[in-house]
Amino acid sequence: MLVPAWPGIRRWSAMALLALSSGLSAPTYSQTTAPAQAASRSVNEWLTRMHEGSRQRAYIGTLVVSAGSAMSASKIWHVCDGNQQMERIDTLTGTQRTTIRRNNEVITFVPEAKTALVEKRDSLGMFPELLRTPSNVIPQFYQAREVGVQRVAGHLADMVEILPRDELRFGYRIWSEQQSGLVVKLQTLGQQGGVLEQMAFSELQLDAPVSMEKLKKLMKDTRGYEVHKPALKKTTAEAEGWRLREAVPGFSPMSCHTRDNGTPQPPGSAPMQWVFSDGLASVSLFVEPFDPLRHVQESSAVVGATHSVSRRVGEHWLTVLGEVPDQTLRRFALALERTR
């Protein structure tokens, strides 16, 4: 699938189950009964516990991700010290890459090309900031259901399903390590119940001896690398001459940026990324001037849980990308309009 080459794009892999409207029952598992304390948690309590679990534990693990016929693996070193977190991710398949994060500062080393990409990202860990929506509408669009307990990478984990209340979003099936809440496995299922994408630790060492100082030194050592730092300008869609004619239920605007090439540009002429979230799922709208040589045909594509839709909007080209059903992206695409 072709997507815009935009710094800071991340696929926030989530795990899904059937939409409530499907009326299908959950699969049966061989497992023990979920503990009583888990069964009393609300969807917000579950998500807060998972998010904090990734922030409060040091660990080393191998994470395997599969989407459709594709599979990849990465080695992760994670450590935290009060409010400061650091994480190193080495790819074990495909092109060799090392990504090191300190809070929202990220640098990705590509040894083969001898390049390093410096970015700023809003969150650290497998999940985005799950509860960062302005009014926290998550309970209006999702509900939690405890399933039981299973072992993942040698650790007992509570299983919970975060079920959508409509057809505009996927749900999540999540395995949360019992003691810490750390997410150790996730599945994304389509609206008919098939697995679209999943990630899981194949091995995991909790409370591992990860050195934050060593990671800091590695992050600063760019000798022999050509460092790229894309310039992004924070803005608003309104300032760039765009708006949504009709809001998509549950999704709130989170950020908006344009590329900054160092010279003044008329509103609407610079490529723009407008990000929306319902607290779990995210959708990005990429808008750029129309180019007849590149923008040949309106299209849609899907890889795992990630869908994309592209279409022309006047003199601009729009690509909508997100881990949501195709119909959700089309609502965004049809609602975007030029105001000047």
Side-chain angles (χ1 to χ4, degrees):
M1 175 178 64
L2 296 176
V3 298
W6 190 277
I9 294 177
R10 269 183 311 160
R11 297 181 64 245
W12 290 340
S13 294
M15 306 321 135
L17 185 55
L18 312 176
L20 283 177
S21 57
S22 68
L24 299 179
S25 59
T28 301
Y29 297 87
S30 174
Q31 59 201 17
T32 60
T33 302
Q37 63 270 25
S40 63
R41 295 188 183 115
S42 67
V43 62
N44 276 348
E45 289 170 336
W46 271 110
L47 295 175
T48 299
R49 173 174 165 78
M50 294 170 191
H51 181 61
E52 291 303 312
S54 71
R55 296 172 61 89
Q56 297 178 0
R57 297 295 290 268
Y59 58 83
I60 300 174
T62 300
L63 188 70
V64 179
V65 180
S66 61
S69 60
M71 180 175 291
S72 62
S74 300
K75 188 79 173 184
I76 299 177
W77 293 259
H78 177 94
V79 65
C80 51
D81 178 14
N83 292 323
Q84 183 171 242
Q85 296 186 79
M86 292 203 70
E87 190 171 66
R88 171 180 174 175
I89 304 174
D90 284 3
T91 58
L92 301 179
T93 54
T95 302
Q96 183 182 357
R97 284 186 174 85
T98 294
T99 299
I100 303 176
R101 312 182 189 188
R102 180 173 62 187
N103 295 335
N104 67 342
E105 299 174 0
V106 182
I107 184 168
T108 299
F109 296 93
V110 184
E112 184 177 326
K114 290 297 180 182
T115 59
L117 177 65
V118 177
E119 307 172 73
K120 282 191 177 292
R121 298 179 180 175
D122 290 336
S123 61
L124 179 68
M126 289 187 292
F127 272 115
E129 297 278 354
L130 295 174
L131 307 178
R132 279 187 57 200
T133 49
S135 56
N136 187 16
V137 298
I138 292 174
Q140 296 179 35
F141 296 96
Y142 297 92
Q143 67 175 353
R145 180 171 68 187
E146 293 80 12
V147 178
V149 177
Q150 282 189 336
R151 290 179 73 236
V152 177
H155 300 273
L156 283 177
D158 293 321
M159 295 176 62
V160 61
E161 296 168 351
I162 309 297
L163 305 174
R165 299 181 185 271
D166 60 22
E167 297 181 349
L168 294 177
R169 59 211 91 229
F170 295 134
Y172 308 100
R173 183 183 294 141
I174 307 173
W175 286 252
S176 172
E177 196 270 324
Q178 279 193 327
Q179 298 301 314
S180 65
L182 179 70
V183 174
V184 293
K185 183 177 179 179
L186 302 140
Q187 286 185 335
T188 305
L189 305 183
Q191 293 171 311
Q192 302 304 315
V195 177
L196 300 177
E197 186 170 300
Q198 64 178 339
M199 60 165 56
F201 281 104
S202 60
E203 59 88 18
L204 177 65
Q205 178 187 356
L206 293 175
D207 300 319
V210 183
S211 170
M212 183 171 287
E213 291 305 314
K214 184 177 180 180
L215 291 182
K216 287 180 181 178
K217 291 180 181 179
L218 289 173
M219 191 174 194
K220 294 178 180 178
D221 187 5
T222 58
R223 289 173 297 178
Y225 284 84
E226 182 180 350
V227 179
H228 299 273
K229 191 174 182 180
L232 298 181
K233 177 183 177 183
K234 189 173 183 179
T235 183
T236 64
E238 291 78 9
E240 300 303 315
W242 295 98
R243 71 173 183 179
L244 286 186
R245 182 170 52 252
E246 181 181 5
V248 179
F251 287 90
S252 300
M254 304 299 290
S255 65
C256 188
H257 293 86
T258 58
R259 292 182 185 272
D260 187 354
N261 61 10
T263 60
Q265 293 177 284
S269 61
M272 180 186 79
Q273 180 186 9
W274 194 9
V275 180
F276 291 78
S277 176
D278 67 358
L280 292 178
S282 67
V283 173
S284 287
L285 279 63
F286 300 92
V287 184
E288 58 186 323
F290 176 74
D291 181 349
L293 297 180
R294 293 190 301 116
H295 306 140
V296 178
Q297 183 177 340
E298 297 186 357
S299 63
S300 62
V302 57
V303 175
T306 302
H307 291 68
S308 71
V309 171
S310 298
R311 66 185 295 260
R312 184 174 179 177
V313 182
E315 296 304 311
H316 291 79
W317 187 257
L318 167 67
T319 299
V320 190
L321 178 74
E323 287 193 343
V324 293
D326 182 77
Q327 67 197 63
T328 308
L329 299 185
R330 293 190 180 279
R331 289 187 65 159
F332 275 102
L334 294 174
L336 184 70
E337 65 179 9
R338 194 85 175 120
T339 58
R340 64 169 75 112

